Amino acid sequence: MDWSKFDKTVDLDGLEEDLKEVEENGGGDYPEIPNGSYEVQVQKLELKESSKGDPMLSVWFEILEGEYKGQLIFSNTVMQPSQPSQTFAFQIHNALVILRKLWDAEDDEVQWDGSFEKLNDLVEDIAADVVENEAYQYQLTQSDNKKKPQYKDLNIEIFDEE
């Protein structure tokens, strides 16, 4: 995948400033998983293109216990270069927050390094660690998104290894 095509469509310097501001201020035929908390593991983590051709962070969580054991919960964070710069920066920030939670990393360990090519390298590094390592398990809480009812909110917390 040539991620540099997205870098050419964006004012990367302006995006970097907007991303700093945002960070400082804050499909298939699967059964519907009801809202609640689930013990999960990451089955798949990748940066790919959305159906509309935008960069998207895709995470597949596999439920490890209970009635829905073996079922998947999907998280897709789309980053749209066509959106206003501050909105685009917020979308990238949301993807970085997910990566930090999955890797149990500090802000300075997982950050935007100026290109989607570098972001893809980072996602691949994190995926190599969390997908293959069964020690990475999470408590994922799914709830309704009040602003956009067609979407779900996911809160991810890593289980302590102690």
Side-chain angles (χ1 to χ4, degrees):
M1 174 99 212
D2 179 14
W3 292 103
S4 66
K5 71 180 182 179
F6 294 108
D7 296 334
K8 294 174 187 170
T9 65
V10 176
D11 171 10
L12 293 173
D13 292 334
L15 173 62
E16 192 166 335
E17 289 179 67
D18 289 339
L19 186 58
K20 276 184 189 175
E21 182 180 330
V22 168
E23 291 201 353
E24 289 173 1
N25 301 316
D29 187 20
Y30 299 97
E32 185 172 333
I33 306 298
N35 290 344
S37 291
Y38 301 94
E39 186 175 333
V40 299
Q41 194 167 3
V42 176
Q43 185 184 79
K44 188 173 187 179
L45 172 64
E46 65 183 338
L47 188 63
K48 63 184 205 173
E49 282 189 59
S50 72
S51 61
K52 294 183 179 179
D54 293 317
M56 178 174 74
L57 179 66
S58 177
V59 188
W60 294 12
F61 295 98
E62 180 180 359
I63 299 174
L64 299 175
E65 296 180 350
E67 178 181 350
Y68 296 96
K69 181 178 180 177
Q71 299 296 319
L72 300 176
I73 296 176
F74 303 97
S75 171
N76 294 310
T77 304
V78 178
M79 296 160 274
Q80 300 167 296
S82 61
Q83 292 293 309
S85 181
Q86 202 164 21
T87 301
F88 185 44
F90 187 71
Q91 293 167 341
I92 292 172
H93 164 77
N94 288 340
L96 294 172
V97 167
I98 291 169
L99 293 172
R100 288 176 189 133
K101 286 185 175 191
L102 293 178
W103 217 16
D104 198 24
E106 299 296 321
D107 289 357
D108 62 343
E109 295 175 284
V110 175
Q111 41 183 305
W112 173 258
D113 282 337
S115 77
F116 279 97
E117 196 72 46
K118 290 179 183 177
L119 180 60
N120 184 61
D121 292 344
L122 176 63
V123 170
E124 287 177 350
D125 288 346
I126 294 171
D129 199 14
V130 302
V131 173
E132 299 299 321
N133 187 343
E134 291 182 11
Y136 280 97
Q137 294 184 356
Y138 309 90
Q139 185 74 32
L140 185 140
T141 304
Q142 177 177 272
S143 60
D144 290 327
N145 183 304
K146 295 188 184 348
K147 291 184 180 179
K148 296 183 179 181
Q150 69 271 32
Y151 298 110
K152 297 287 186 177
D153 287 332
L154 300 177
N155 184 38
I156 307 160
E157 299 295 329
I158 194 165
F159 280 132
D160 289 332
E161 296 179 27
E162 298 175 9

